[in-house]
Amino acid sequence: MTTEQTDDEYADLGATTEEAMEIAETSMDRVRSLVPDETLADRIRQKSVHATGDPEFQHLMRFTGEDDDEPVRAGARAVLDEQPIVTDITMVKAGITGRGHDCPVQKAIGNGTELAAETGMTRTAASVLELDSEGVYDGAIAVVGNAPTAALALADCIEDGTRPAAVVATPVGFVKAAESRTRLRETAATHGVPTITNVGRRGGSGLAAGLTNELVHVASDHKAGEIEL
Amino acid sequence: MTTEQTDDEYADLGATTEEAMEIAETSMDRVRSLVPDETLADRIRQKSVHATGDPEFQHLMRFTGEDDDEPVRAGARAVLDEQPIVTDITMVKAGITGRGHDCPVQKAIGNGTELAAETGMTRTAASVLELDSEGVYDGAIAVVGNAPTAALALADCIEDGTRPAAVVATPVGFVKAAESRTRLRETAATHGVPTITNVGRRGGSGLAAGLTNELVHVASDHKAGEIEL
């Protein structure tokens, strides 16, 4: 494998035609000129810029764990272990690459319908609690791209003993989004669950999917012998 | 129907539980305190802020047509006429609400595989050209959330005579994203196709889906006799 091909693969596992690879390469080159390229966490920072189109987004990313790289290592190891990737909503699941991994990809939404109807809680929060009661989140990569209440429910689950391998959470919006990520960071840090999140109101499904795909890319690069985990 | 229920419905057609409706309502209240609430175009500006979590995004939105409201009217009318909603990628399709409309929702990606392989163009661009050759885009709501090359292909189709009812295009990124939207705006304006786009590098699938869902909301409000189109 030449360096050029490796770079192509790194840039975007979804780019399979000549034009797409060229765009993905040029794009990541521009991102790398704007974001440091030293650590595993930097790769997540780069991806956040790539996914949002905003160079400043790198400064909004937060990492909990022994060091900033730990959630990236933990997420990539979970990919290599073929652990499930569990998203909050369909849209995030649709954004997870099908290439470069053998992890089952599952969405929470659609579960817990009765719990939502009984309690009045959001469907996504109920779906997280329902999947958690089935043990789905232990050892999994838990991804929240849309619903702050799903992030809060996930924090509850961690408090109650659930241990995802890693959490990626970037719910967006004006109500509870930033607060839900703060709570998730604090709860996860207390219980030793590594997290990748952001501060502020911004975020969303595209970002969550992009960051999760970067964990897959890191795992691929490790398999190819290019990086240590 | 009370005003409160109407507001609930407006805020988020996907919010079906008590907590979700409360969050959706509070969220849109905060957005309305940050964005004007006078015109149909303002509803799209509000939705852009809601979808991105960024109050400044309202200033990045652009509208082409007789006036800023025209693409919103045209899109909502197409929803009422049950015209197809055609997205570039799966993720955008996954973000389109299933409620409040009877439009078929279709994605381009997955079509045009041979064309992409033969020419080396991106899979999304090839898929747009392929669907266009089948006449899918005439009268449809054409949505591009991810791929600049899909937006460029759509501009080519419009130049060649295709007439979508309305275009929503917010591809994101550092290569061709802003340029593709500029070209789409100019080409569509020349040929009388109304468009909703943004300027700058930012955008994405969540934004495109949110703006398209707002067209559905506008159509719902018209059906409920609350607004003129």
Side-chain angles (χ1 to χ4, degrees):
Chain A
M1 192 179 266
T2 70
T3 307
E4 203 181 322
Q5 279 169 327
T6 307
D7 281 355
D8 283 348
E9 194 187 347
Y10 168 73
D12 188 346
L13 292 170
T16 57
T17 69
E18 201 180 320
E19 188 187 9
M21 287 180 192
E22 202 179 297
I23 292 173
E25 255 321 277
T26 310
S27 186
M28 281 310 295
D29 282 350
R30 292 192 186 166
V31 170
R32 286 194 201 102
S33 74
L34 298 162
V35 189
D37 191 25
E38 301 294 321
T39 67
L40 290 175
D42 285 340
R43 288 185 57 165
I44 296 291
R45 291 187 187 99
Q46 289 174 354
K47 195 67 189 186
S48 77
V49 170
H50 188 254
T52 59
D54 180 0
E56 296 310 307
F57 211 95
Q58 61 184 303
H59 306 298
L60 304 181
M61 294 306 301
R62 294 294 180 273
F63 304 84
T64 66
E66 283 177 25
D67 54 39
D68 282 3
D69 287 351
E70 196 199 347
V72 193
R73 276 196 306 270
R77 279 185 192 137
V79 171
L80 294 168
D81 290 344
E82 302 177 13
Q83 292 294 316
I85 297 171
V86 189
T87 71
D88 55 343
I89 62 164
T90 313
M91 199 174 174
V92 180
K93 179 172 185 277
I96 305 290
T97 180
R99 293 162 189 274
H101 70 90
D102 294 300
C103 303
V105 184
Q106 186 177 354
K107 61 182 175 179
I109 189 83
N111 297 282
T113 317
E114 279 179 30
L115 182 62
E118 278 165 28
T119 60
M121 72 172 64
T122 68
R123 293 181 296 149
T124 35
S127 70
V128 168
L129 297 182
E130 174 67 27
L131 283 195
D132 185 56
S133 74
E134 298 168 14
V136 170
Y137 283 107
D138 274 309
I141 301 172
V143 186
V144 179
N146 180 268
T149 53
L152 290 169
L154 189 60
D156 287 343
C157 298
I158 291 169
E159 216 158 54
D160 289 349
T162 301
R163 296 292 175 261
V167 171
V168 176
T170 63
V172 60
F174 289 82
V175 177
K176 299 187 185 179
E179 297 85 335
S180 75
R181 286 185 253 101
T182 302
R183 165 124 197 272
L184 197 46
R185 271 193 298 276
E186 289 171 359
T187 309
T190 304
H191 297 282
V193 174
T195 67
I196 297 171
T197 60
N198 66 291
V199 293
R201 286 177 303 254
R202 293 171 59 190
S205 300
L207 177 61
L211 300 180
T212 307
N213 289 341
E214 192 60 24
L215 298 177
V216 173
H217 294 176
V218 169
S220 295
D221 287 354
H222 176 73
K223 264 193 292 191
E226 287 160 31
I227 55 167
E228 300 281 323
L229 282 184
Chain B
M1 191 179 268
T2 69
T3 307
E4 204 182 323
Q5 280 169 329
T6 307
D7 280 357
D8 283 350
E9 193 186 347
Y10 168 73
D12 188 347
L13 292 171
T16 56
T17 69
E18 203 180 319
E19 187 187 8
M21 285 181 194
E22 202 180 296
I23 292 173
E25 254 324 275
T26 311
S27 187
M28 280 311 293
D29 282 349
R30 292 193 186 166
V31 169
R32 286 195 200 101
S33 74
L34 298 162
V35 189
D37 191 26
E38 301 294 320
T39 67
L40 291 173
D42 285 341
R43 288 185 59 165
I44 295 293
R45 291 186 187 100
Q46 288 174 354
K47 195 67 190 185
S48 76
V49 169
H50 188 253
T52 59
D54 180 359
E56 297 310 307
F57 211 94
Q58 61 182 305
H59 306 298
L60 303 181
M61 294 307 301
R62 294 295 180 272
F63 304 85
T64 65
E66 283 177 24
D67 54 40
D68 282 4
D69 287 351
E70 197 200 347
V72 193
R73 277 196 305 271
R77 280 186 192 135
V79 171
L80 294 169
D81 291 345
E82 301 178 11
Q83 292 293 317
I85 297 170
V86 189
T87 71
D88 54 344
I89 63 164
T90 312
M91 200 175 174
V92 180
K93 179 171 184 277
I96 305 290
T97 179
R99 294 164 188 272
H101 70 89
D102 293 300
C103 304
V105 183
Q106 186 177 353
K107 61 181 175 177
I109 190 83
N111 297 281
T113 316
E114 279 180 30
L115 182 62
E118 278 165 28
T119 60
M121 72 172 64
T122 68
R123 291 181 298 146
T124 35
S127 70
V128 168
L129 297 181
E130 175 66 28
L131 284 195
D132 185 57
S133 74
E134 298 168 14
V136 169
Y137 283 108
D138 275 309
I141 300 171
V143 186
V144 179
N146 181 269
T149 53
L152 291 169
L154 189 60
D156 288 343
C157 297
I158 291 170
E159 215 159 55
D160 289 350
T162 300
R163 296 292 173 263
V167 172
V168 176
T170 63
V172 59
F174 289 83
V175 177
K176 297 189 187 180
E179 297 85 335
S180 74
R181 286 185 253 103
T182 301
R183 166 124 196 273
L184 198 44
R185 272 193 298 277
E186 290 172 357
T187 308
T190 305
H191 297 283
V193 174
T195 67
I196 297 171
T197 61
N198 66 291
V199 294
R201 283 177 304 252
R202 294 170 59 190
S205 300
L207 177 61
L211 300 181
T212 307
N213 289 342
E214 192 59 25
L215 297 178
V216 173
H217 293 175
V218 170
S220 296
D221 286 355
H222 176 73
K223 263 193 291 193
E226 288 160 31
I227 56 166
E228 300 278 325
L229 281 182

